[in-house]
Amino acid sequence: MILLMTVMVSSCDQSIDPIIGEDRPFTIWGYLDANAEVQRIRVFPIRDQFNVDPSAQIDAAVTSTNLTTGEIHTWNLSKADNSIDNDSTGGYVFEAKFSAEYEKSYRLSVRRSDGAESSAEVTIPPSVDVQLTDERNRTIVPVEIIGKPPNLVDVFVLYDAVTLPPGNPWPPGSVTPAGIPLPVEVSYSGQEESTADGWIYDVNLREDFALVQEKFALNCLRTDLIALRRIYFRFLAADEQWSPPNDSFDPNLLIEPGTLSNIENGYGFFGGGYTVSIGWIPTGAVLRNIGYRTASPCPLMPQNTLECQLPPDPCLDDG
């Protein structure tokens, strides 16, 4: 899945041209997560390039203030390079150990030694409750969200799928191969129905299974040997400022003057929210009805059939 949270905290395209000649000192990317114990943001000084010299120091002091309680946290520089979190982006990552509180407002300040400052204020949305209706015995599972944060972002269902190896591997007598996990994400963003207390999503396991099979086929894995370990429904409850142009947090777009930026005297985005995840596993009967395997497709000795003795079909690369 491509979680929007990951886009916000972990992504910033190196090809972006910063705004030269600006008095604004910093571009900031990130958000406060009410469900995280460690908060992280990415800071870029506005200069001639975004590439970061790991040996160089950034002239920036980062603090956040709980505007309700007055509590202040000082953020520490944790990473400064061009390969952070296994991606190809760069940046100065600052972090602080604290949990943001629901319905509390915070002010983030990134200050240079000469006094120039970029800042932003954000309010964490209220908490929500997620309820499932008879999820184990249904192929269409209603997921009800009780509570209405300003925005629901990147709503998706994750199918924790895995190949189920045959009971008798080919050739006979060889070691049974391990199952190959291939989690598949299916987006449900925009498919909600409003209720008096929140929203409801109808997760269609049968329709989604076709997408799971498609992903397995694209990865050269057999589509008739798919087992399911668990299903997860996930989303990000976000503040009211989480409304990018064209529904996309594209750094190439957002860094341009006149587009979305809630950073005072700077560029980028600083938001507030939290991730919600709930999981379940349907009954074996439901899984088999959809098309998943719930046991080895071939019986153990001595009931082997000719079909079970055949080697698996090759998956050829058309390219």
Side-chain angles (χ1 to χ4, degrees), residues 14 22 66 78 129 133 142 176 219 246 283:
Q14 288 187 18
E22 278 278 353
N66 184 321
S78 63
D129 182 36
T133 304
T176 301
N219 284 269
N246 301 327
T283 63

Side-chain angles (χ1 to χ4, degrees), residues 132 134-138 141-143 157-159 203 205 228-233 278-283:
L132 299 177
D134 194 23
E135 69 278 5
R136 285 182 50 80
N137 295 294
R138 302 176 67 115
V141 179
V143 180
V157 176
L158 174 67
Y159 292 92
V203 178
L205 306 187
L228 188 64
R229 295 189 290 198
R230 200 164 184 82
I231 302 171
Y232 297 92
F233 183 88
I278 186 169
W280 74 96
I281 182 68
T283 63

Side-chain angles (χ1 to χ4, degrees), residues 197-273:
D197 300 322
W199 293 276
I200 191 167
Y201 293 81
D202 286 331
V203 178
N204 194 316
L205 306 187
R206 191 184 303 279
E207 289 185 359
D208 290 353
F209 180 61
L211 300 177
V212 173
Q213 287 182 304
E214 179 180 339
K215 184 67 175 291
F216 271 66
L218 289 173
N219 284 269
C220 213
L221 298 173
R222 289 183 59 171
T223 60
D224 59 339
L225 300 177
I226 303 174
L228 188 64
R229 295 189 290 198
R230 200 164 184 82
I231 302 171
Y232 297 92
F233 183 88
R234 292 177 177 171
F235 62 91
L236 175 68
D239 64 283
E240 65 278 357
Q241 300 183 79
W242 214 301
S243 300
N246 301 327
D247 295 322
S248 173
F249 279 100
D250 179 1
N252 290 285
L253 176 63
L254 297 182
I255 197 170
E256 296 297 333
T259 60
L260 172 74
S261 176
N262 68 337
I263 307 299
E264 181 180 346
N265 196 36
Y267 294 100
F269 178 82
F270 180 67

